[in-house]
Amino acid sequence: MSGYAVRAEGLEKRYGEKRALDGFDLAVREGTVHGLLGPNGAGKTTAVRILSTLVKLDGGSARVAGLDVARQPREVRARIGLTGQYAAVDEVLTGRQNLEMFGRLFHLGGSRARLRAGELLEQFDLTDAADKGVGKYSGGMRRRLDLAASMILTPRVLFLDEPTTGLDPRGRGEVWDSVRALVTGGTTVLLTTQYLEEADKLASHITVIDQGRSIADDTPDGLKSTVGGDRIEVVVAERADIPRAVKVVARVSDGEPESDETELRVHAPVTDRVAALTEVARTLQDEGVRVEDIGLRRPSLDDVFLRLTGHRTDVTEDEDIKGGTPKDVKRDAKEAVA
Ligand SMILES: Nc1ncnc2c1ncn2[C@@H]1O[C@H](COP(=O)(O)OP(=O)(O)O)[C@@H](O)[C@H]1O
Ligand SMILES: [Mg+2]
């Protein structure tokens, strides 16, 4: 093996005129969580569908667990797990019954299926809820059950397509814990997400995708440093004080301060964070400038996206709450407008 669990080069996928993937590259190291980060419609699901052999590629090549997805789809399928938009758990059954059913579907046999269900319930912290109907599960519990179901055969590579979309912060945190536990078990995870914070929290490497192409590939910290390091931010009380604040900030900053006249905000990159903050706060006070707020800000992945693409990620979190379909409705609506 090459040390890569997934390797894709120049992937192309067209739907009519639409290029869902347009020369997409990806390399995922074994035993890591790799984030595929991009806004709605970027091509994340298409990439996952190709890599998991559900959809044929129109160009380029991809290997998963060392196998060619176009030439060896059955062998690939035997080594992967997939969860996200294909959640197939049965509402009427309990969590345990669902997992046992999946186990038998995968030909584990009754007693091994029971054993595996018990292990997975434990691993995904569902033991207490094991014998409750899935209809009564919270969103986070359901997603964890989906994860457990995709882990029945301990896949080498697991594809998680937006595993936390629509979950509340608590459910999201629960799923994050489960994903972390997966990797300690040796599984490689490719996780797609629109949540910048999620990629930052979980992934050791991130590929940013936009309009069917990889536009960046780096560690979370590396990505953040492409937009510059930490910044000092001062919000003054009076607009007339902005020029004075700019002067004061300029003395400690590494580059020209920028100011925002409507938000009364002055900000600039700094290296010696605490010294800069102390110095600016003291000088502004000495000069009698009234300060509403002052602080240090680390760049977010949102900033990275803006820098790379020139536009924001326009994720509206509460629109996706109701599960699978609204996302597609939103996508179609977006395209109708475009
Ligand atoms: N089955 C399909 N038929 C037509 N267009 C599609 C289909 N699947 C995806 N697309 C289009 O391809 C682009 C990428 O979609 P998708 O891979 O679902 O993006 P993401 O998962 O990042 O939101 C979008 O413009 C989408 O509308
Ligand atoms: Mg998608």
Side-chain angles (χ1 to χ4, degrees):
M1 277 292 302
S2 56
Y4 290 101
V6 177
R7 202 122 213 209
E9 273 158 17
L11 289 190
E12 312 246 342
K13 182 70 194 177
R14 286 179 295 272
Y15 291 108
E17 292 287 281
K18 177 78 203 173
R19 291 173 182 272
L21 292 180
D22 190 14
F24 174 70
D25 300 320
L26 180 69
V28 177
R29 284 193 182 281
E30 271 178 27
T32 63
V33 178
H34 191 108
L36 181 56
L37 172 70
N40 235 328
K44 302 181 296 297
T45 297
T46 304
V48 165
R49 282 188 174 152
I50 286 176
L51 295 171
S52 54
T53 77
L54 294 177
V55 155
K56 287 213 168 78
L57 44 77
D58 295 328
S61 64
R63 297 182 84 80
V64 171
L67 300 158
D68 188 292
V69 294
R71 289 195 215 101
Q72 299 159 287
R74 284 184 44 189
E75 291 85 342
V76 169
R77 253 172 261 152
R79 286 165 179 79
I80 63 170
L82 172 64
T83 180
Q85 288 151 349
Y86 313 93
V89 294
D90 189 326
E91 298 263 337
V92 181
L93 302 180
T94 67
R96 187 188 306 280
Q97 287 166 339
N98 265 291
L99 293 180
E100 288 181 9
M101 182 191 73
F102 278 110
R104 282 195 297 273
L105 276 175
F106 290 120
H107 311 295
L108 281 190
S111 60
R112 279 192 59 210
R114 255 194 311 282
L115 198 68
R116 186 69 184 132
E119 288 170 3
L120 289 166
L121 288 164
E122 184 81 29
Q123 183 183 349
F124 290 92
D125 203 16
L126 288 167
T127 306
D128 291 345
D131 300 307
K132 269 202 242 169
V134 170
K136 299 206 183 72
Y137 278 25
S138 70
M141 288 161 72
R142 266 203 76 140
R143 294 293 167 88
R144 270 144 57 211
L145 187 64
D146 293 343
L147 283 178
S150 62
M151 290 298 291
I152 298 267
L153 298 182
T154 325
R156 295 265 301 276
V157 184
L158 179 63
F159 297 100
L160 303 181
D161 194 8
E162 297 198 26
T164 66
T165 295
L167 293 185
D168 60 21
R170 177 164 165 214
R172 200 170 287 171
E174 291 170 359
V175 170
W176 288 348
D177 288 342
S178 297
V179 173
R180 289 193 188 101
L182 285 177
V183 199
T184 56
T187 296
T188 302
V189 176
L190 177 66
L191 170 136
T192 82
T193 184
Q194 301 186 40
Y195 300 121
L196 308 157
E197 184 198 2
E198 180 159 288
D200 191 15
K201 282 235 161 75
L202 290 179
S204 57
H205 231 88
I206 296 173
T207 299
V208 184
I209 180 172
D210 188 44
Q211 297 179 18
R213 288 168 165 274
S214 338
I215 56 167
D217 187 73
D218 211 333
T219 60
D221 283 342
L223 271 185
K224 285 191 233 168
S225 71
T226 62
V227 287
D230 301 328
R231 299 182 80 83
I232 188 167
E233 272 193 355
V234 178
V235 180
V236 294
E238 314 276 344
R239 178 165 313 185
D241 282 334
I242 290 180
R244 274 208 288 169
V246 167
K247 251 190 219 153
V248 172
V249 169
R251 279 188 229 149
V252 300
S253 68
D254 299 334
E256 282 294 293
E258 291 172 41
S259 55
D260 182 327
E261 296 270 324
T262 40
E263 291 178 19
L264 309 183
R265 206 162 56 96
V266 174
H267 55 105
V270 290
T271 32
D272 198 345
R273 296 157 43 88
V274 177
L277 186 64
T278 320
E279 167 79 13
V280 169
R282 192 190 314 128
T283 315
L284 288 173
Q285 197 182 22
D286 288 350
E287 299 200 2
V289 174
R290 258 178 57 220
V291 171
E292 286 288 329
D293 197 11
I294 182 165
L296 294 160
R297 198 165 77 87
R298 289 184 188 279
S300 70
L301 286 171
D302 228 340
D303 299 326
V304 172
F305 202 83
L306 181 63
R307 172 59 62 99
L308 291 170
T309 64
H311 59 86
R312 287 232 167 257
T313 56
D314 60 59
V315 185
T316 33
E317 304 212 356
D318 37 6
E319 277 181 58
D320 284 336
I321 298 284
K322 305 264 156 22
T325 39
K327 205 159 49 194
D328 295 336
V329 171
K330 196 165 105 187
R331 183 188 78 193
D332 294 344
K334 245 181 158 171
E335 274 176 3
V337 175

XYZ file of all heavy atoms in Angstrom, residues 15 18-20 38-47 49 85 161-162 194 331-332 335, ligand 1:
198
model
N -23.375 16.005 -15.144
C -24.813 15.739 -15.219
C -25.355 16.707 -16.256
O -25.550 17.880 -15.955
C -25.487 15.992 -13.870
C -25.107 14.982 -12.803
C -24.281 15.334 -11.739
C -25.582 13.676 -12.865
C -23.941 14.409 -10.763
C -25.238 12.743 -11.893
C -24.417 13.123 -10.847
O -24.078 12.205 -9.886
N -23.973 20.314 -16.429
C -23.363 20.609 -15.128
C -22.136 19.738 -14.883
O -22.226 18.504 -14.960
C -24.414 20.365 -14.030
C -23.910 20.561 -12.634
C -23.829 22.012 -12.268
C -22.838 22.212 -11.140
N -22.604 23.632 -10.853
N -21.011 20.375 -14.563
C -19.839 19.607 -14.163
C -19.816 19.510 -12.646
O -19.342 20.418 -11.965
C -18.562 20.293 -14.650
C -18.403 20.251 -16.146
C -17.219 21.090 -16.593
N -17.121 21.058 -18.041
C -16.453 20.124 -18.712
N -15.792 19.185 -18.068
N -16.419 20.144 -20.026
N -20.342 18.409 -12.145
C -20.398 18.236 -10.684
C -18.976 18.074 -10.138
O -18.646 18.591 -9.078
C -21.257 17.033 -10.320
N -16.708 22.064 1.901
C -17.177 22.915 0.812
C -18.639 23.254 0.993
O -19.355 22.561 1.707
N -19.087 24.299 0.326
C -20.480 24.715 0.474
C -21.423 23.775 -0.270
O -20.983 22.873 -0.979
C -20.488 26.114 -0.158
C -19.374 26.094 -1.147
C -18.331 25.173 -0.570
N -22.694 23.981 -0.106
C -23.714 23.244 -0.821
C -23.463 23.276 -2.318
O -23.172 24.338 -2.875
C -25.055 23.942 -0.562
C -26.054 22.967 -0.010
O -26.012 21.777 -0.353
N -26.925 23.443 0.844
N -23.530 22.105 -2.962
C -23.393 22.063 -4.413
C -21.956 22.032 -4.901
O -21.699 22.044 -6.105
N -20.986 21.954 -3.980
C -19.571 21.991 -4.365
C -19.132 20.712 -5.072
O -18.181 20.721 -5.851
C -18.696 22.232 -3.138
N -19.818 19.590 -4.774
C -19.452 18.311 -5.383
C -19.052 17.243 -4.371
O -18.566 16.176 -4.760
N -19.290 17.510 -3.095
C -18.862 16.584 -2.041
C -19.553 15.224 -2.171
O -18.900 14.178 -2.165
C -19.162 17.176 -0.648
C -18.512 18.519 -0.395
C -18.821 19.033 1.011
C -20.289 19.326 1.260
N -20.854 20.401 0.411
N -20.873 15.251 -2.284
C -21.613 13.983 -2.358
C -21.267 13.234 -3.634
O -21.115 12.007 -3.628
C -23.129 14.244 -2.249
O -23.393 14.812 -0.965
C -23.930 12.964 -2.413
N -21.101 13.944 -4.724
C -20.716 13.294 -5.979
C -19.377 12.583 -5.802
O -19.213 11.438 -6.227
C -20.630 14.333 -7.119
O -21.880 15.013 -7.206
C -20.332 13.666 -8.441
N -18.421 13.238 -5.162
C -17.115 12.614 -4.927
C -17.276 11.355 -4.086
O -16.717 10.298 -4.412
C -16.172 13.610 -4.248
N -19.915 9.508 -3.739
C -20.634 8.467 -4.495
C -19.705 7.761 -5.470
O -19.798 6.555 -5.657
C -21.794 9.090 -5.260
C -22.966 9.364 -4.354
C -24.156 9.788 -5.173
N -25.318 9.926 -4.316
C -26.321 10.744 -4.562
N -26.304 11.489 -5.643
N -27.346 10.808 -3.733
N -26.407 10.280 3.794
C -27.734 10.436 3.199
C -28.442 9.108 2.933
O -29.551 9.092 2.445
C -27.600 11.259 1.921
C -27.298 12.707 2.265
C -26.485 13.399 1.195
O -25.963 12.765 0.284
N -26.366 14.711 1.298
N -20.896 11.294 4.927
C -21.338 12.444 4.139
C -22.195 13.352 5.010
O -23.336 13.014 5.327
C -22.108 11.956 2.908
C -22.303 13.064 1.875
O -21.712 14.153 2.038
O -23.049 12.832 0.913
N -21.631 14.460 5.406
C -22.293 15.442 6.275
C -22.997 14.778 7.472
O -24.202 14.885 7.633
C -23.286 16.271 5.458
C -22.577 17.073 4.380
C -23.420 18.221 3.843
O -24.295 18.687 4.600
O -23.182 18.644 2.707
N -19.985 20.964 5.671
C -20.086 22.392 5.350
C -19.670 23.197 6.561
O -19.631 24.413 6.516
C -21.521 22.784 5.038
C -22.134 22.037 3.889
C -23.505 22.597 3.553
O -23.727 23.795 3.563
N -24.431 21.704 3.283
N -31.048 22.888 -2.812
C -30.114 22.863 -3.926
C -30.854 23.151 -5.232
O -30.430 23.957 -6.049
C -29.468 21.473 -3.988
C -28.427 21.337 -5.068
C -27.965 19.904 -5.197
N -28.926 19.110 -5.916
C -28.916 17.782 -5.963
N -28.038 17.103 -5.280
N -29.804 17.130 -6.654
N -32.004 22.466 -5.410
C -32.766 22.659 -6.637
C -33.256 24.098 -6.735
O -33.207 24.703 -7.794
C -33.959 21.707 -6.684
C -33.496 20.267 -6.790
O -32.307 20.063 -7.127
O -34.294 19.363 -6.529
N -30.525 26.310 -7.838
C -30.204 26.176 -9.251
C -31.259 26.841 -10.125
O -30.938 27.413 -11.163
C -30.077 24.703 -9.623
C -28.680 24.243 -9.338
C -28.517 22.770 -9.597
O -29.493 22.135 -10.055
O -27.435 22.253 -9.337
N -28.106 13.280 -9.903
C -27.837 14.536 -10.264
N -28.418 15.092 -11.343
C -28.142 16.339 -11.731
N -27.310 17.172 -11.084
C -26.705 16.693 -9.997
C -26.927 15.369 -9.518
N -26.174 15.169 -8.409
C -25.522 16.333 -8.196
N -25.826 17.250 -9.141
C -25.275 18.601 -9.241
O -23.874 18.537 -9.124
C -23.372 19.565 -8.258
C -22.682 18.968 -7.072
O -23.636 18.334 -6.246
P -23.275 17.540 -4.929
O -22.178 16.581 -5.210
O -24.524 16.970 -4.369
O -22.713 18.719 -4.003
P -22.570 18.786 -2.400
O -22.704 17.398 -1.871
O -21.216 19.387 -2.178
O -23.657 19.682 -1.921
C -24.572 20.405 -7.908
O -24.669 21.488 -8.792
C -25.720 19.459 -8.085
O -26.906 20.160 -8.360
